[in-house]
Amino acid sequence: MSTSIASFPEGSHSSQHTLELAKDCSEYGLTPAIVDPQGKDIKTALEPVSSRRGSVRPTLGDEIDGTQEKTPTVTEHGPDPNSPLIWKRLVNDHSLSQFLEERVQQEPEFKDQLLAYIEHSKKDKKWSIAAANAITILVRAGVQFIGTDLRGIRIPGADLSYGVFDSVDLQEANMRNVSLRGAWLRQTDLRRADMTGAQLGELPYLDVYSVVWSCAFSPDGMSLTVGLDDGDLHVYSTSNWEITRTMRGHEEAARSVVYSPDGNVLASGSDDMTIRIWTMESGLCQHILIGHTDQVQYIAHSPNRAQVASGSNDRTIRLWNPETDNCCKILFGHEELVNCVTYSPKGDRIASSSDDFTVRLWDVVTGECIHIFHGHSDEVWGVTFSPQGDQVASASKDTTARLWDVESGDCLHTLEGHTDSVTTVAFAPNGDRIFSGGDDATVRVWDVHSGTCHHTMTGHSSGVLSVVFSPRGDMVASGGRDKTVHLWNVSVGGSRHVSTGHSQETEDVGCSPNGTLIASCSLDCTIRFRDAKTGTCQRILRGHGGTVFSVAFSPQGNRIASGGADNTVRLWNVDTGTCQHILTGHAEVVYSIAYSPQGDQIASASNDKTVRLWNVTTGGHCGTLDGHRDGILSVEYSPDGTLIATSSKDYTIKLWSVETMTCINTLFGHHNWVRDVVFSPQGDQLASVSSDWSVRLWSVTTGAYRMILYGHDRAVTCVSYSHNGDLLASGGFDNTVRLWDVATGQRLAEVKHFQGNIYSVTWIPSADAYYLVTGCEDGSVLKWQVIKEEDKCHVRLCWGATNGSLTVTGALIEGVQAEDCVRGLTPLNRQLLKQRGARIDQEEDS
């Protein structure tokens, strides 16, 4: 099997912790027997991985005919038949499996033993439990399976959550009851695999025609109702997720929906300033509650069903008798609009949140304000009680959620991690976790006791507005601005999630001059350093107050510069991770950063239509290049440092003299934004890419374009020359990376099946091989090996740092023949896989 190890520090443990685990595991009397292969001789042999046509199976995109994959096989004795791995399932035994994960990284022989169990399961089902244990341990240890022949393996009940299986052959595999939450299965062949009972961690999303403002499960869990921007209410059956009823009446957005405790009645609040009470049996509106003088933002049912509370833009909270239409009480106190209201489990208190930056606690009987919780620095958009009623969680525009003690009003935890406004919060029914949704398009899971983020769920393409739990606590529904409802199964999978990629889109990637370190930056406001060989995340830099759009290493490799949405340029020490300078002066977003070849100067390009030059040592401003008529998207120094090239939203490229800081040429030809421009290593040529779908090569001397490369079918966002200048890589909004021959303009390869737009490509400096790194909209950072031949290139994934979302783009789940289909998939799971980009085999794709 061909595998690569990528172990990430977020999941590492101290030596003391390892000793404690070893002590705990020794009590089982198992560890020595598991990790000691008892002298078994396990060697590595080369075995070709065959395609369905009998040739060597492609490992990525294009075929690599004749390539052999390094596959560990048992050549003399085979794996230990007496190991406890044979009979004891370890998937849910976290203490023991965690100890064994560390042994994988420390003892290569143990890793080989585990791989041997998987290999032997292909021929004999007696190894099934051992193989399931083995692959679970390997995945949790960070071992990635890339281009691996796993055809026919037997791993029932294995936990493959968040594992990387790229271009893997899993045909005819026994994957019954396997957990695949967040797994990377890009271009994996799953035909004829048995996936009965497989758990994918989520269901197909519901595609709605309107923004989803609110979601509510019925108390029996049999239905889900959503409130939409056009005022309609859709009721879905949770058995098949079909719409069973649409209730109409509101004239504007239905901001909030809530069931009565018995499920017989639904209340909805709207921008039309009314609250409607609906009978679920008939779907008819029974009462209309009128009294608010502005939009109704949120409503809540009291636990005893006797009362409905509503919060409004008119800064009041009203308590209603839903049977009589009467307003029983009006609560005054908030100084700005009221965004959310919620009852305590006993129904004696109400918590409310407001644009006045506060959370307030009210006595239901007296209407008096008991507590005012101060701490948020911006509007508070959501609030909810814990199931025990002793805590309140709040969500704010200040990008945080907070956990409060109800009696004292003390802030117990500030939950930091979202990169945009937090819009909604929900407690798990048992009170141990908090789920938050935000305008950063993520749902995050927090531990109530520690306040740490356990997991980030991605899938929405824009802000999340509502997060709700099913009554049993096994499912979460999230609705948002992207007009979808995502359904997450939060009870499957025992794996600890180790986030290896960015939680949001990767904006830029760069490589150190010696080729050992990769830097990436993201919409999640962070910069991450990775070991170029293994993908291991070595450091995370935080400091920018918004999206980080660009990173660049100094020529010496000891510093890195970054630019972002906070209009600043920052200079960091690579070894320590400390920010040494913050350079201010730009009036708008900084899109691009470049070091001069000597390393003494930095150029920064901004949406303010200027490029600023900075002294690296002092951080002082050296000069400004002013001439573009719209925002500048890219800046680059020539190899000799005498020229600067810029590309702009004004459809042009400009060449500037560094010495005089004047424009010496303007290149016309593109018909839309010019998103990136780079010099060739020889300095005689420029490459540019544009939203007009083209790649253009220009003469630096004359300014004339030499060649136009067509092939992308959407905007092209990024371009990069290989170290010797003979290859060009481009990526774009068509979710592909294309490789071109610079001399002829011929397309040599197309890498497909990315999970989103490509925002960055860069080559790793190497004297004897080609390696490419890509940054993608899904937050991933991927390293590829490029093998060049005369008229084509072969591309193979080396490692992937992913964001933990289920990825199945390009995976084969059905063949031309009916018998080639994946077996045992539920209709909902099949629909989910197809939504995520899984495909049916076609002869032309063979």
Side-chain angles (χ1 to χ4, degrees):
M1 300 177 190
S2 174
T3 56
S4 58
I5 293 182
S7 305
F8 300 92
E10 294 95 327
S12 62
H13 312 282
S14 67
S15 58
Q16 178 63 33
H17 184 54
T18 301
L19 291 174
E20 292 173 358
L21 281 172
K23 181 179 179 182
D24 291 341
C25 295
S26 67
E27 294 177 2
Y28 287 92
L30 294 174
T31 305
I34 292 174
V35 300
D36 181 8
Q38 299 182 8
K40 302 298 175 184
D41 189 3
I42 301 174
K43 297 183 178 179
T44 300
L46 283 174
E47 289 186 356
V49 181
S50 298
S51 74
R52 56 186 175 274
R53 291 180 174 271
S55 61
V56 174
R57 195 180 63 76
T59 57
L60 177 73
D62 306 287
E63 285 198 4
I64 307 179
D65 295 329
T67 301
Q68 290 187 321
E69 299 296 335
K70 194 175 183 181
T71 305
T73 58
V74 178
T75 58
E76 292 187 13
H77 297 290
D80 180 11
N82 300 313
S83 169
L85 288 172
I86 303 296
W87 52 266
K88 180 177 176 60
R89 290 194 177 273
L90 303 181
V91 171
N92 296 315
D93 192 333
H94 295 294
S95 292
L96 182 55
S97 64
Q98 187 173 339
F99 176 76
L100 296 177
E101 293 162 35
E102 297 183 0
R103 301 277 70 72
V104 169
Q105 300 171 17
Q106 298 168 6
E107 301 174 17
E109 295 84 1
F110 180 48
K111 175 188 171 185
D112 287 343
Q113 183 189 12
L114 297 178
L115 292 169
Y117 285 128
I118 298 170
E119 186 70 21
H120 273 63
S121 75
K122 296 178 180 179
K123 301 175 183 178
D124 193 336
K125 66 181 181 181
K126 77 177 183 181
W127 302 101
S128 295
I129 293 177
N133 286 330
I135 201 166
T136 297
I137 294 167
L138 289 168
V139 165
R140 291 178 179 177
V143 175
Q144 299 187 347
F145 294 82
I146 297 169
T148 312
D149 181 9
L150 298 179
R151 183 169 185 153
I153 65 170
R154 295 178 172 93
I155 52 169
D159 183 6
L160 307 184
S161 299
Y162 314 112
V164 173
F165 297 84
D166 191 277
S167 305
V168 168
D169 188 350
L170 279 165
Q171 292 185 80
E172 301 173 355
N174 181 344
M175 300 173 66
R176 297 174 69 93
N177 301 312
V178 165
S179 175
L180 291 166
R181 175 197 291 275
W184 178 280
L185 299 167
R186 176 186 168 277
Q187 288 192 174
T188 292
D189 194 341
L190 293 165
R191 291 172 301 163
R192 297 183 298 280
D194 185 353
M195 295 183 66
T196 304
Q199 300 168 324
L200 303 181
E202 56 189 287
L203 295 177
Y205 62 80
L206 308 179
D207 200 354
V208 189
Y209 60 82
S210 183
V211 171
V212 181
W213 283 104
S214 53
C215 305
F217 279 99
S218 61
D220 61 6
M222 299 301 292
S223 64
L224 175 76
T225 297
V226 299
L228 305 180
D229 195 53
D230 64 358
D232 286 355
L233 309 178
H234 283 182
V235 183
Y236 292 86
S237 167
T238 57
S239 62
N240 58 12
W241 296 102
E242 298 290 336
I243 296 177
T244 59
R245 178 177 287 133
T246 297
M247 299 185 290
R248 295 185 170 93
H250 284 298
E251 297 176 359
E252 296 184 52
R255 295 271 183 170
S256 180
V257 292
V258 62
Y259 280 89
S260 62
D262 59 13
N264 294 328
V265 171
L266 183 85
S268 59
S270 170
D271 282 0
D272 64 11
M273 300 185 287
T274 70
I275 300 158
R276 289 179 176 256
I277 308 297
W278 309 81
T279 302
M280 293 310 296
E281 184 177 359
S282 64
L284 299 177
C285 180
Q286 182 180 0
H287 298 286
I288 302 178
L289 311 184
I290 300 175
H292 281 295
T293 59
D294 209 333
Q295 299 173 353
V296 178
Q297 289 284 346
Y298 209 87
I299 54 175
H301 249 295
S302 64
N304 63 5
R305 192 182 179 275
Q307 201 174 70
V308 168
S310 58
S312 167
N313 284 12
D314 64 14
R315 306 182 184 183
T316 69
I317 300 163
R318 291 180 178 246
L319 308 185
W320 309 81
N321 183 327
E323 300 292 336
T324 65
D325 303 353
N326 292 331
C327 179
C328 310
K329 198 177 267 81
I330 303 177
L331 311 184
F332 296 97
H334 280 296
E335 298 174 3
E336 296 290 343
L337 64 87
V338 180
N339 288 306
C340 189
V341 292
T342 183
Y343 281 92
S344 64
K346 294 181 179 179
D348 58 337
R349 294 178 178 182
I350 287 175
S352 60
S353 63
S354 167
D355 274 10
D356 64 9
F357 301 5
T358 70
V359 173
R360 291 179 181 243
L361 198 63
W362 310 82
D363 185 286
V364 171
V365 176
T366 66
E368 293 181 356
C369 181
I370 303 169
H371 278 305
I372 303 177
F373 300 161
H374 295 281
H376 284 294
S377 59
D378 211 327
E379 300 164 5
V380 188
W381 287 354
V383 66
T384 187
F385 273 97
S386 66
Q388 297 77 24
D390 59 338
Q391 295 175 337
V392 164
S394 58
S396 172
K397 189 179 178 180
D398 67 10
T399 74
T400 72
R402 287 180 177 248
L403 187 63
W404 309 86
D405 182 270
V406 167
E407 294 305 320
S408 68
D410 293 337
C411 180
L412 304 174
H413 293 296
T414 300
L415 311 180
E416 297 179 302
H418 283 283
T419 59
D420 206 334
S421 305
V422 187
T423 57
T424 180
V425 283
F427 273 95
N430 63 3
D432 66 340
R433 291 166 295 164
I434 293 172
F435 283 59
S436 61
D439 275 338
D440 60 5
T442 69
V443 176
R444 296 177 186 250
V445 186
W446 310 84
D447 180 84
V448 167
H449 301 293
S450 66
T452 57
C453 182
H454 279 181
H455 182 38
T456 301
M457 301 191 296
T458 60
H460 285 282
S461 59
S462 58
V464 179
L465 299 172
S466 178
V467 173
V468 293
F469 267 91
S470 64
R472 292 192 303 175
D474 59 340
M475 182 175 293
V476 165
S478 58
R481 302 183 193 275
D482 61 1
K483 304 179 183 180
T484 68
V485 178
H486 283 254
L487 305 167
W488 315 91
N489 186 338
V490 295
S491 63
V492 305
S495 183
R496 301 182 312 281
H497 179 226
V498 178
S499 176
T500 63
H502 289 286
S503 62
Q504 292 178 267
E505 61 191 50
T506 302
E507 299 288 350
D508 194 19
V509 289
C511 190
S512 62
N514 63 6
T516 61
L517 198 62
I518 290 170
S520 60
C521 61
S522 168
L523 186 64
D524 67 10
C525 310
T526 69
I527 301 165
R528 293 179 181 239
F529 290 163
R530 301 182 185 282
D531 182 281
K533 184 177 181 180
T534 65
T536 303
C537 183
Q538 298 183 334
R539 192 184 299 278
I540 301 176
L541 307 184
R542 294 181 173 90
H544 277 285
T547 303
V548 188
F549 282 108
S550 181
V551 289
F553 278 94
S554 66
Q556 297 76 24
N558 60 334
R559 289 184 177 180
I560 193 168
S562 60
D566 59 3
N567 306 351
T568 70
V569 176
R570 294 173 185 251
L571 305 185
W572 311 80
N573 183 291
V574 170
D575 293 328
T576 65
T578 56
C579 182
Q580 298 177 322
H581 290 294
I582 301 176
L583 313 181
T584 60
H586 282 294
E588 295 187 44
V589 174
V590 179
Y591 281 128
S592 184
I593 296 287
Y595 266 96
S596 66
Q598 298 76 27
D600 59 338
Q601 192 177 79
I602 287 173
S604 58
S606 170
N607 200 51
D608 65 10
K609 307 175 189 177
T610 70
V611 170
R612 285 179 171 255
L613 306 182
W614 312 87
N615 183 288
V616 169
T617 304
T618 66
H621 177 225
C622 305
T624 301
L625 311 183
D626 193 350
H628 280 289
R629 292 178 290 105
D630 207 337
I632 304 173
L633 298 174
S634 179
V635 63
E636 176 97 348
Y637 281 90
S638 62
D640 63 8
T642 61
L643 299 176
I644 286 177
T646 56
S647 67
S648 169
K649 294 179 182 179
D650 66 10
Y651 303 4
T652 70
I653 299 162
K654 288 182 181 289
L655 285 172
W656 310 78
S657 166
V658 172
E659 182 179 2
T660 64
M661 289 186 284
T662 57
C663 179
I664 60 175
N665 204 353
T666 301
L667 312 184
F668 298 94
H670 283 295
H671 308 299
N672 209 320
W673 290 6
V674 187
R675 291 182 171 270
D676 198 10
V677 63
V678 292
F679 279 95
S680 65
Q682 296 76 24
D684 60 337
Q685 186 172 261
L686 283 172
S688 62
V689 294
S690 167
S691 292
D692 65 10
W693 303 6
S694 73
V695 181
R696 290 180 181 240
L697 306 184
W698 310 78
S699 167
V700 171
T701 304
T702 66
Y705 63 82
R706 296 176 173 176
M707 202 176 299
I708 304 178
L709 311 179
Y710 290 110
H712 287 283
D713 56 18
R714 290 190 66 190
V716 193
T717 58
C718 50
V719 64
S720 180
Y721 280 96
S722 62
H723 56 278
N724 59 9
D726 61 336
L727 296 180
L728 195 71
S730 60
F733 284 179
D734 57 3
N735 301 1
T736 71
V737 170
R738 294 167 191 254
L739 302 182
W740 311 86
D741 185 295
V742 171
T744 66
Q746 179 183 355
R747 190 187 75 186
L748 301 178
E750 178 183 0
V751 185
K752 300 186 292 184
H753 304 308
F754 286 91
Q755 189 76 353
N757 300 330
I758 308 300
Y759 288 114
S760 184
V761 292
T762 193
W763 296 87
I764 298 177
S766 175
D768 55 358
Y770 295 92
Y771 292 100
L772 186 71
V773 181
T774 57
C776 183
E777 182 183 16
D778 65 357
S780 65
V781 177
L782 309 175
K783 176 186 174 183
W784 311 86
Q785 182 181 13
V786 177
I787 302 170
K788 185 183 177 185
E789 295 182 356
E790 290 184 3
D791 59 350
K792 61 182 177 179
C793 287
H794 306 298
V795 188
R796 179 184 184 276
L797 185 66
C798 300
W799 53 254
T802 68
N803 70 354
S805 62
L806 179 66
T807 300
V808 293
T809 45
L812 276 172
I813 60 172
E814 298 180 18
V816 175
Q817 304 299 323
E819 61 269 20
D820 289 337
C821 296
V822 176
R823 292 177 287 148
L825 270 184
T826 66
L828 288 175
N829 278 349
R830 189 177 297 275
Q831 181 184 349
L832 172 63
L833 294 179
K834 289 185 176 180
Q835 278 184 348
R836 292 298 184 90
R839 63 193 177 99
I840 300 172
D841 188 28
Q842 301 292 340
E843 285 300 320
E844 59 265 28
D845 294 334
S846 299

